[in-house]
Amino acid sequence: MCKKNSLLVLILVLILVTPVCAQEKEEKLAYGFESALPEMHVFLTNQFYDYGSQAFGKYANEGDNKLAGHSVFIPMSGYIDISSQINSELKAEAEFELYKGESVKICKLRGVWSPKEWFNLSMGRDFVPIGTQDKSYYPPSRFRIFTVSSYLYSNVMRASGWWDTGIFVSGKIPVSKQGAVLYNLSISNGPGDSHQKETKDKLVNLMGTNSAGYMYEYFHNKARQSLDNNNDKPLCLRLAYSPFKNLEFGGSYLKAKYDTDEKYGCDYTFYHLLYGSDRWDIDCECGQLGVDVDPTKNSRGYKKIHQSSAYIAASYKVLQEKYVHFLAPTIRYEIIDPWEEDTTNKADRKSISIGISISPVEHFLIRTAYQHTTEKGPDELKNDGVSIETVLDF
């Protein structure tokens, strides 16, 4: 009798619950719609470095223990871009970076409204248009000719480009049959040190010389912040002119405060030229960073220091769709002055990188290069090396 009663109770429960479950399955979210299907694109890269013990360091004579002084395979890194074209004018995009197999970073998280070619409005996390890191170093770019970034990005701006949160406006304004003005404008949180917990880790206390007399170079390794530490919301502007489809040249400027009290500031000035054709890819850029510093933190009592760098990189496809998708020798020449006020030029360096890029089939690429560096000062640093990268995108 108990078994029959239990069975009847179970049947009754199933009868009552089933319509509820069916109803829950049929219910839809209060937002979104089926036709706005997302697209996903992936960029995977695996790298190998073999550089001297004084490469990639925060000072000219200090190396990165993870990457310098020994051969090392970098764990697979990747970029995953998810976007949805909601309608002809509106797009949503999220992009994440798997950084050297160690962490996940948010690169883009934005909504884009594009009613006209000359007006695009983006809100959220996006590239700050200082320099051309979105065109010349960002991995999917055709102008990312070398695996290891130029000194201009690794030592003057930052190691991996600069994303920030704010409002971004861009557009293309035709001025002739082929010519056009390209502009990018942003208002964002700007550089700062809101994530630094200890007083000794504040940027103002880090911008000085070490015991060997080298000036700290990587300002933006410590200036990254997801939120903000002051009320300064800097305006960044990039203007370029494109006389025809394959060429553009222009400049960009940013001025901001980076400390809590808004006493210390920084300013960037960049100039660029990009040319890309069926065979040639040429990237030329120069830039300067000026940083207000505590005069007690450097040996000569300076209140402001300047860092500057320039490079020219070129790639030429000698084979296209003959035996391979393409084969391209590559070369880059660059100079850096990480402390312009230092009259001894101790940390000034010149570098030449020679390599080759081969794409056996479309969407698969192998890059390899050797970099040799010459120092102006008395120290011959151990920072030469080889880099190899494989890229797969889909």
Side-chain angles (χ1 to χ4, degrees):
M1 186 67 179
C2 293
K3 290 183 177 180
K4 289 183 178 179
N5 290 338
S6 299
L7 183 60
L8 290 172
V9 171
L10 178 60
I11 293 172
L12 182 60
V13 169
L14 289 173
I15 292 173
L16 293 173
V17 170
T18 299
V20 175
C21 294
Q23 184 180 0
E24 288 179 352
K25 289 181 180 179
E26 291 176 0
E27 286 182 354
K28 297 180 180 180
L29 292 173
Y31 55 89
F33 47 95
E34 293 179 358
S35 60
L37 294 176
E39 290 186 6
M40 183 172 70
H41 299 273
V42 180
F43 182 95
L44 296 178
T45 171
N46 198 33
Q47 301 170 2
F48 172 81
Y49 289 174
D50 191 357
Y51 280 82
S53 59
Q54 293 171 308
F56 308 118
K58 63 182 180 180
Y59 288 96
N61 63 336
E62 294 182 10
D64 185 329
N65 292 330
K66 290 183 178 180
L67 301 179
H70 58 282
S71 60
V72 56
F73 285 99
I74 313 299
M76 178 69 78
S77 299
Y79 292 79
I80 300 175
D81 183 277
I82 303 171
S83 63
S84 178
Q85 195 70 42
I86 298 173
N87 56 44
S88 60
E89 297 181 357
L90 193 61
K91 180 180 77 170
E93 183 179 24
E95 184 171 272
F96 307 92
E97 177 187 7
L98 175 62
Y99 183 68
K100 297 180 180 178
E102 296 180 335
S103 61
V104 177
K105 298 181 178 180
I106 299 175
C107 304
K108 296 181 181 179
L109 201 61
R110 61 177 187 161
V112 183
W113 179 44
S114 306
K116 301 291 182 180
E117 184 182 33
W118 53 267
F119 181 81
N120 299 276
L121 175 65
S122 171
M123 298 184 68
R125 186 168 175 83
D126 204 346
F127 277 107
V128 173
I130 188 69
T132 61
Q133 76 275 17
D134 53 332
K135 301 179 180 182
S136 60
Y137 179 64
Y138 188 59
S141 169
R142 67 180 295 176
F143 294 104
R144 187 177 185 261
I145 299 171
F146 287 88
T147 299
V148 176
S149 63
S150 64
Y151 285 131
L152 185 65
Y153 286 101
S154 64
N155 293 53
V156 175
M157 187 165 63
R158 69 183 294 179
S160 57
W162 182 14
W163 293 278
D164 203 356
T165 304
I167 300 173
F168 306 83
V169 180
S170 62
K172 180 180 180 181
I173 305 173
V175 293
S176 65
K177 188 174 182 179
Q178 290 187 324
V181 172
L182 312 174
Y183 78 92
N184 296 81
L185 186 69
S186 73
I187 300 176
S188 61
N189 283 330
D193 53 9
S194 63
H195 60 295
Q196 304 299 334
K197 304 300 182 184
E198 302 293 335
T199 301
K200 63 181 178 63
D201 293 331
K202 296 294 183 181
L203 277 172
V204 175
N205 297 324
L206 290 172
M207 294 303 296
T209 53
N210 68 352
S211 59
Y214 285 102
M215 175 59 71
Y216 184 65
E217 296 170 358
Y218 289 1
F219 174 66
H220 266 295
N221 270 8
K222 296 292 184 180
R224 303 174 183 179
Q225 57 180 4
S226 56
L227 297 176
D228 207 352
N229 61 330
N230 57 38
N231 293 319
D232 180 63
K233 298 295 176 284
L235 178 69
C236 182
L237 174 64
R238 181 171 68 195
L239 282 176
Y241 176 64
S242 175
F244 51 88
K245 182 179 178 181
N246 296 325
L247 174 68
E248 75 166 78
F249 54 88
S252 52
Y253 182 76
L254 168 69
K255 185 177 180 65
K257 299 290 185 181
Y258 68 84
D259 66 312
T260 304
D261 299 326
E262 300 180 23
K263 179 181 176 182
Y264 295 91
C266 64
D267 55 83
Y268 289 91
T269 305
F270 274 61
Y271 302 97
H272 73 273
L273 182 149
L274 302 174
Y275 175 75
S277 64
D278 290 340
R279 290 186 177 272
W280 281 102
D281 289 320
I282 300 175
D283 178 11
C284 181
E285 196 167 3
C286 63
Q288 182 190 63
L289 164 65
V291 183
D292 295 336
V293 297
D294 185 341
T296 64
K297 300 298 180 180
N298 62 82
S299 58
R300 301 183 186 179
Y302 290 118
K303 294 183 178 180
K304 187 169 187 175
I305 62 170
H306 292 84
Q307 305 170 346
S308 60
S309 182
Y311 70 88
I312 180 170
S315 171
Y316 181 75
K317 296 180 178 67
V318 295
L319 293 176
Q320 283 186 291
E321 306 302 340
K322 293 181 180 179
Y323 310 110
V324 293
H325 181 50
F326 71 78
L327 177 70
T330 58
I331 187 169
R332 180 174 69 195
Y333 177 77
E334 55 186 321
I335 58 175
I336 179 173
D337 186 347
W339 189 10
E340 293 183 4
E341 287 75 16
D342 180 20
T343 56
T344 66
N345 297 322
K346 183 177 183 178
D348 292 9
R349 303 191 288 284
K350 297 179 180 179
S351 175
I352 186 167
S353 299
I354 299 175
I356 192 166
S357 296
I358 180 172
S359 175
V361 294
E362 191 175 5
H363 303 295
F364 179 57
L365 177 64
I366 302 172
R367 291 191 185 100
T368 181
Y370 172 75
Q371 177 175 301
H372 174 69
T373 306
T374 303
E375 290 76 28
K376 280 188 177 181
D379 300 332
E380 185 177 346
L381 303 179
K382 298 177 181 179
N383 51 13
D384 299 340
V386 175
S387 64
I388 302 172
E389 178 184 42
T390 61
V391 176
L392 180 67
D393 66 89
F394 56 92

